[in-house]
Every structure is written in structure tokens, then in C-alpha cells.
Amino acid sequence: MIPRASIGHLFRRAPRRERARKQRFVYYTAELRGGADAMSPLDISDTQFRALAARISSLAADYYAQLPDLRAYPRVSGTRTREAFDQPLLEAGLHSTALDTLAQVMEMSRPPSPRFFGYVQGSGEPVAALADLLASVLNQNVTAWRSAPAAVTIERQVVRWIAQALGCEEMTGSMCGGGSAANLMALAMARETRLPANESGAQPGIVYASSEAHMSIPKAVALLGLGRRNLRLIPVDKQFRMSAAALEAAIAADQAAGHTLIAVVASAGTVSTGAIDPLEEIGAVCRAHGLWLHVDGAYGLPAALVAAEKFRGLSAADSLSVDLHKWLYQPVDCGILLFKDPSRARTAFSHTGDYARVLDADPVEGFAFFDESLELSRRFRALKSWLSLRYHGLNAFRAAIRTDLEHARQLADNISATPQLELLAPVELSAVCFRYVAGPAGPNLDELNVAILRKVIENGRIYLSNASIRGHFALRACFVNHRTQPADVAEIVPEVLRAAGEVIAGQML
């Protein structure tokens, strides 16, 4: 925010003729609006804004302070939320009393608790959250430099920072809503490179991914008109990594059948187990057959900041996705698509109407994100990451990621030391899949673990999610929360055992 004194100082320094012109403009526009004191019905005074902002800041600060003591999941139901918020649209506003219901919104929201271990849900770092407020105040539409000079420059800088941190300095890219959007755009670029469709329409083409690939990959293949039947899901090894030999065999079969091959999607941290596909081997296969290599690292890639050896071969990728709102702790939404060749992005996405055409040829001032991405209207996503990284420094994020990896190993050790529990997958990153086994074998064991998970969530002390591991129902904990402490991790096994005891006791009644 520029202090008023600074604005006044600049104004006093302006030439006398310019000052007079500005004063005439102010008086003229005020007269048009009905007088100097006239305000839009949607505007609020400086005093009102400061009071509302202070109230919301206080709510947020209290919320952060209470997080360690809150339930990991709220006591809430569909009926209760509907009754709380199913209200008629008002013709007359409530003004400051409209904020009274925010307490209910917070009460019924899933908190970023240090004991929330479900999904791959980042923890919403507070400095970044504050930056999000300022981004909304600035209300930049980050289409092109001319529309949002600072925002476009900052986003390009954040993209460069992340590419460099991942060891992919040669890549550029843009921010997007998340991994699903990034994966869709990457495969659109691959399709236009190998089997152009923008002018004449899509044709069937083959895309390869592991059987552990994220659900956004089949969606992208469908949306691009390639057909889900043309997505080859390659078997995985004991570590849940794509088999390069099986990939080679599938490629050979498709070539023999005369199919057109487009791309391979490798995973750098699968959503279920955190498995990292053998990127070097897959990259060699792609080079041998002229295939686009996209690496889906939405969840796992930030771990390259502390364990680069796990991601050898990453630089061979033509494109990769990473979500800063997952393991870089940023508020949603904050995804990035990186790619090597901007001309491929422009081929896929550049189609500009005359009303949006950029006239400046300068490489900075003439830059437009809409020429290299799916979106036209784009919010100022980069401000939170830019401020958060500047405030804390990259080493603070490295330390938080190391701690998450340690928490996963701590839980795995606790499970291995508990006879009633069984690890179901290797712990490659920060996801831990396990189940309760001190019950009847067969389908009943899956049903028992479903009941245990429901009881854990109902009890509210911790939150776990689930996964399917080689056909077995698994309890799953994922550590991507900078607030989690070893004591929080230590509660997981006792809570699961307590829930199991309650479930079994209830079944015996």
C-alpha cells in the first residue's frame, strides 16, 4: 500500500498545469456522479474497509491460534450445512452484520489441522494467505503484461524460481488451477506436436501412463478427443513404479498395429503411495520412439528440493506439472505447468481475437500468457508464492519437506512395531498406506477397515483418507502440513487401534 503522504508528495511535484488538469478532472467526475461526496452503492469508506479488514484479520488470527485444539474434521452434516446457508438472496444488504455468519463458515470448514493427514492437501501458509487478500484487492487479470505489468512479471519470476529449484532451468511455463489443468495442457501440447487436431479435429492417438496414474490423465485423454480406449495403463513393479520393460512391449504392440503414438505420462509421486516412476529409463524409451514425455509431479516434485537423487532423469521431460498448493504449503489454487519449448505451447493455445491482440513486439511488454496457456482470465496466483518464498526463503521450505519425510518414516516404524497393523506399500515420499489386520481375512477385512476409517473420522482427533492397494482397502496418511509435529504423528496408531476396538465391540453387540 502506498502511504497517502507519498501520493501527496508525488502530486506536489507535478507541474502546475498538470495539477490543475487533474483537479478539473476530479471535480468534473464528481459532478457527474452527483457531487463530490457521491459514492457507488458498492463502495465503502476507508474507515469501513479498515474496520472490516481488522475484523476478518482477527478472525483469521484466532483461527490459527486455535488450530492445534480443533477437531481434525468438524462435526458437520449435509443437513446442518444446508440449514445454515440455505437463505434467500437479500434485496437490502446486512452491511457489517453480514460478517456475523463467518463464524459458522469457519466452524463447518475442514481445518488445516496439524492432525489432518488426508488426501494431498497443503496447509495454507499464513504469509501466502495474506498475499491472497492483497491479490484480490489489486484484482489483476493476468492475461498479458499490458493488462497486469507487475503480476505478469512476478508470475514469470516465480515460474523461473521453481524451474531452477527443480533442476530444470531450461524450462518456462505458467501457473494454473492445479495438476488436472496442467496435465490437460501438457497433453494438448503433446497432441498438437504428434497428431495436430486444432484445425481438422482430433483423431485417435495412444498415450501411456502407469496403472497408478492420477485420475486427471484419463480425463485429459477424453477431453482432448483421443479416447480413453487409447490410454494404455502400464503395469507397475513391487514398488508401484511403471515398468519400463512393459512400456516397451506396449509400444511395440501399438506400432505393429499401425497406431499413432503421442506421449508417455510418468509419475513423480503417485497420489496413492508416492511412487516415483523410473524417469531415466522412461526418458530413454521416449527418445528412442520420438514420444513426448510429461511428468506428473503435482504431489511429489517438491521433494526434489531435498532428495534430488530420487528424481534422476527429470530434465528429460518435455513438460511437467507441480502443485505449490500441495507440498509447498500454499493456499489453493496454485499449480504450475513447466515446458521446454514455448513454441509448442503457442501452437496448442494461441488463437487471439483482434480485441486481445498484443501490438507490442518487446519480449517483456509484448508477452501474453493467453498465447501459451488454456486460460484467458487468470487471477494473480503468483503473489502468494512470491511473497511466501521471499518471506521465508527456500531453505525454510526444504526444512519443512524434510520434516514431512521424517514424519512418514516415523509412522511407518510405528506401524511395523504394531502387530495389529500392516504396511501395504513402500514409503517412498510422505504417503503411508496400511491396514488393520487383526480381524477376519478376505472381504471382511476390507469392510472392517472401511468401518475403522469412518470411526477415526467420527472421533475427530485425527483425519486419514483411503486408497486401494493391489485390490485391498487401505488407510492412508499423507504428510504435507508444516504444522504437524512428532506428537501428532504419534497419535495415529493409537487412534486407529482405539477405533478398531470400538468397531469390533459394536459388531459383537
Side-chain angles (χ1 to χ4, degrees):
M1 178 177 175
I2 302 175
R4 288 183 175 180
S6 299
I7 295 174
H9 177 64
L10 292 171
F11 190 78
R12 285 194 300 274
R13 290 184 60 189
R16 184 177 302 173
R17 185 176 299 173
E18 179 67 8
R19 290 204 306 270
R21 186 191 68 78
K22 290 182 177 179
Q23 287 170 345
R24 286 196 302 273
F25 176 76
V26 169
Y27 296 147
Y28 176 70
T29 53
E31 186 175 315
L32 287 177
R33 292 185 305 177
D37 295 329
M39 290 179 62
S40 162
L42 295 178
D43 214 344
I44 61 175
S45 70
D46 177 78
T47 300
Q48 289 170 314
F49 182 85
R50 290 177 186 276
L52 294 174
R55 186 172 170 189
I56 290 175
S57 285
S58 180
L59 282 171
D62 290 345
Y63 188 67
Y64 280 138
Q66 295 164 9
L67 274 180
D69 300 318
L70 291 179
R71 287 171 53 89
Y73 196 81
R75 294 189 187 279
V76 71
S77 67
T79 299
R80 188 172 173 224
T81 55
R82 186 175 63 249
E83 289 174 350
F85 305 121
D86 186 10
Q87 300 164 349
L89 177 62
L90 301 175
E91 289 292 341
L94 300 174
H95 302 292
S96 62
T97 58
L99 274 64
D100 294 350
T101 311
L102 290 179
Q104 272 187 298
V105 174
M106 299 171 79
E107 178 192 349
M108 297 186 194
S109 295
R110 193 278 305 162
S113 160
R115 297 179 309 282
F116 184 88
F117 309 116
Y119 320 124
V120 189
Q121 177 68 50
S123 44
E125 188 274 313
V127 173
L130 291 171
D132 242 358
L133 169 61
L134 183 57
S136 293
V137 170
L138 293 171
N139 195 32
Q140 300 294 283
N141 191 357
V142 193
T143 59
W145 185 91
R146 68 179 181 188
S147 175
V152 166
T153 305
I154 286 172
E155 180 169 332
R156 298 183 80 185
Q157 180 64 68
V158 169
V159 167
R160 282 194 295 272
W161 282 349
I162 298 303
Q164 291 166 3
L166 296 175
C168 298
E169 293 85 352
E170 72 281 9
M171 288 191 173
T172 185
S174 61
M175 304 191 82
C176 57
S180 294
N183 292 337
L184 175 64
M185 288 195 290
L187 288 178
M189 292 168 63
R191 185 196 64 183
E192 286 308 295
T193 298
R194 295 282 295 164
L195 193 61
N198 282 354
E199 297 304 322
S200 58
Q203 305 170 57
I206 308 300
V207 174
Y208 303 90
S210 92
S211 57
E212 296 292 306
H214 189 261
M215 66 181 185
S216 63
I217 304 305
K219 282 189 176 184
V221 169
L223 289 170
L224 292 170
L226 299 172
R228 288 198 186 104
R229 291 180 182 175
N230 294 306
L231 174 61
R232 306 287 189 258
L233 296 180
I234 306 302
V236 296
D237 61 18
K238 292 181 180 179
Q239 284 74 44
F240 296 90
R241 308 183 314 157
M242 184 194 298
S243 165
L247 174 62
E248 279 276 22
I251 289 172
D254 284 321
Q255 287 175 330
H259 297 310
T260 301
L261 315 185
I262 294 177
V264 176
V265 179
S267 296
T270 58
V271 70
S272 291
T273 68
I276 302 168
D277 288 336
L279 302 179
E280 284 184 307
E281 296 176 49
I282 294 172
V285 172
C286 289
R287 286 192 299 274
H289 298 282
L291 299 180
W292 184 283
L293 174 58
H294 174 63
V295 175
D296 178 6
Y299 156 38
L301 262 185
L305 301 181
V306 301
E309 70 282 357
K310 291 179 178 287
F311 301 89
R312 281 192 293 269
L314 182 63
S315 60
D318 295 287
S319 58
L320 60 89
S321 59
V322 57
D323 280 354
L324 308 191
H325 61 236
K326 289 186 170 73
W327 215 354
L328 224 62
Y329 314 103
Q330 300 297 290
V332 175
D333 59 2
C334 201
I336 293 182
L337 172 66
L338 295 174
F339 43 80
K340 281 182 177 173
D341 188 349
S343 69
R344 302 296 189 187
R346 289 192 289 272
T347 297
F349 304 115
S350 181
H351 185 78
T352 306
D354 285 342
Y355 56 87
R357 186 161 55 92
V358 176
L359 304 178
D360 201 318
D362 181 88
V364 175
E365 297 183 14
F367 180 80
F369 275 118
F370 57 69
D371 279 334
E372 297 184 3
S373 71
L374 186 64
E375 297 174 307
L376 178 57
S377 296
R378 305 168 73 254
R379 70 186 306 270
F380 194 178
R381 295 183 177 102
L383 185 63
K384 54 193 169 192
S385 303
W386 179 79
L387 187 63
S388 183
L389 286 163
R390 281 169 52 84
Y391 185 94
H392 295 291
L394 191 57
N395 280 338
F397 289 92
R398 286 195 178 101
I401 292 169
R402 285 193 190 96
T403 299
D404 285 331
L405 293 171
E406 291 167 4
H407 288 159
R409 287 191 288 268
Q410 176 188 346
L411 175 58
D413 289 343
N414 293 349
I415 291 167
S416 297
T418 306
Q420 300 98 312
L421 302 178
E422 173 189 36
L423 275 175
L424 288 177
V427 179
E428 183 67 38
L429 293 174
S430 67
V432 183
C433 295
F434 64 105
R435 64 176 176 169
Y436 184 85
V437 292
N444 288 337
L445 191 56
D446 283 344
E447 293 171 9
L448 174 60
N449 278 275
V450 170
I452 290 170
L453 178 58
R454 287 175 174 158
K455 180 60 69 173
V456 164
I457 294 171
E458 178 187 324
N459 289 344
R461 183 60 185 167
I462 65 170
Y463 189 98
L464 302 175
S465 58
N466 55 281
S468 179
I469 306 298
R470 300 197 190 281
H472 298 300
F473 184 89
L475 309 176
R476 179 180 171 280
C478 188
F479 300 93
V480 287
N481 190 325
H482 72 278
R483 300 182 177 95
T484 301
Q485 299 295 321
D488 300 311
V489 182
E491 292 193 37
I492 295 174
V493 166
E495 283 294 320
V496 169
L497 296 180
R498 183 178 302 113
E502 293 173 4
V503 169
I504 293 170
Q507 290 176 345
M508 297 174 63
L509 293 177

